[in-house]
Amino acid sequence: MDYETLMPLLRKLAIEAGAKIMEIYNADDFEVKQKSDESPVTEADEAADALISAGLRAAYPDVMLVTEEQSESHTAKGDTFLIVDPLDGTKEFVHRRGDFTVNIALVENGSPTRGVVYAPAKNRMFFTMADGQSVEETGDFAPDQIGATTPIKVAQSDNSALMVVASKSHRDQATDDYIGKYSVKDMKSAGSSLKFCLVATGEADLYPRLGRTMEWDTAAGHAVLAGAGGSVVRFDDLTPLTYGKEGFANPFFIAHAPGVTLKAG
């Protein structure tokens, strides 16, 4: 895979999908349907998915593509693939809370190596450069021209005063109990993949997720965090979280800066 070609394309598709999503977000109303698992899906999910899928298939017809909105892709088998969540945080979108993202990632040999996370309503964009270093871009996000970028790096964590980020819509007692094992200075809440990005920028040290997620929810954020020096491990045995699993479902996991002394669950 030629990363010099791949990354400008992933970034461009995320920006173009974000523009479509924001058109619908800013409209007076939009239709919300229920998927078979009762999760909401909107015309924004579908429009963004169509745009991103067409762009990736045209550029990489021979690379396996897994996307949340195309259930036939969920039975694919492989450890190297492109994986997409065209609108991560549909609930945030429906409630007009703004914390939703476009996620596109490349997984190679079971590990997310390159990715982009774009939060169009928040004007925040994080991605891995061709060389693997993660950056945050600022500016007007022109699709064909990368703007000003700042390399991002995880925090030098202080285990006596950790910053923890947790989900806005998925907090539960088990998560709170686990967080209680650490010396926490402060908590932040964020939606969707922005939690990975807050650890990647050093705004937080630790993000435990004791709940259901799918690989398309996490791959892009995982790639951004890895490119900033962070890690994502399974909650049960603290081994690296891998991709290409049966059905693309994740176990519970912990995303963290390397200086954090992880506690057993």
Side-chain angles (χ1 to χ4, degrees), residues 9-257:
L9 175 67
L10 297 197
R11 177 189 167 279
K12 177 182 180 178
L13 291 174
I15 290 169
E16 290 176 345
K20 269 211 181 314
I21 289 166
M22 290 308 293
E23 244 173 67
I24 296 166
Y25 187 70
N26 292 324
D28 288 341
D29 60 355
F30 45 78
E31 186 187 0
V32 181
K33 296 180 280 200
Q34 297 292 317
K35 288 198 285 199
S36 57
D37 64 356
E38 298 300 306
S39 60
V41 62
T42 68
E43 58 201 280
D45 297 76
E46 292 167 345
D49 184 65
L51 187 154
I52 295 167
S53 297
L56 292 177
R57 286 203 171 104
Y60 300 105
D62 301 325
V63 177
M64 181 172 134
L65 175 63
V66 180
T67 166
E68 178 181 19
E69 302 310 329
Q70 295 172 35
S71 56
E72 66 277 10
S73 73
H74 303 174
T75 55
K77 298 267 190 291
D79 65 1
T80 296
F81 49 91
L82 291 158
I83 186 162
V84 178
D85 190 342
L87 203 174
D88 180 26
T90 303
K91 285 181 184 149
E92 309 287 339
F93 177 89
V94 169
H95 297 298
R96 289 194 161 93
R97 285 198 290 253
D99 264 16
F100 49 85
T101 59
V102 180
N103 300 345
I104 314 174
L106 170 67
V107 170
E108 296 180 286
N109 302 315
S111 296
T113 57
R114 298 292 183 279
V116 56
V117 175
Y118 177 41
K122 297 271 185 192
N123 286 314
R124 292 196 84 174
M125 155 88 81
F126 305 89
F127 59 94
T128 49
M129 300 288 275
D131 65 3
Q133 168 66 50
S134 292
V135 297
E136 179 167 9
E137 180 177 345
T138 51
D140 57 3
F141 305 128
D144 295 306
Q145 181 66 49
I146 295 178
T149 59
T150 307
I152 57 177
K153 194 167 187 305
V154 292
Q156 298 288 319
S157 303
D158 174 356
N159 282 284
S160 66
L162 294 173
M163 288 293 296
V164 178
V165 63
S167 174
K168 272 194 169 157
S169 47
H170 299 283
R171 279 285 289 288
D172 60 10
Q173 192 59 50
T175 304
D176 287 341
D177 289 348
Y178 181 69
I179 291 169
K181 295 173 184 256
Y182 293 88
S183 300
V184 176
K185 178 172 76 174
D186 205 358
M187 297 273 300
K188 292 182 173 227
S189 71
S192 66
S193 302
L194 291 171
K195 293 182 285 291
F196 289 99
C197 298
L198 292 179
V199 181
T201 59
E203 294 168 68
D205 300 288
L206 183 69
Y207 159 38
R209 181 58 187 267
L210 281 64
R212 178 179 165 79
T213 59
M214 305 300 285
E215 293 185 12
W216 48 78
D217 295 316
T218 60
H222 186 159
V224 167
L225 177 55
S231 302
V232 185
V233 297
R234 296 174 61 106
F235 183 78
D236 55 6
D237 61 8
L238 305 185
T239 60
L241 181 66
T242 59
Y243 289 72
K245 300 182 294 299
E246 184 73 32
F248 301 96
N250 285 326
F252 297 173
F253 64 81
I254 308 162
H256 65 98

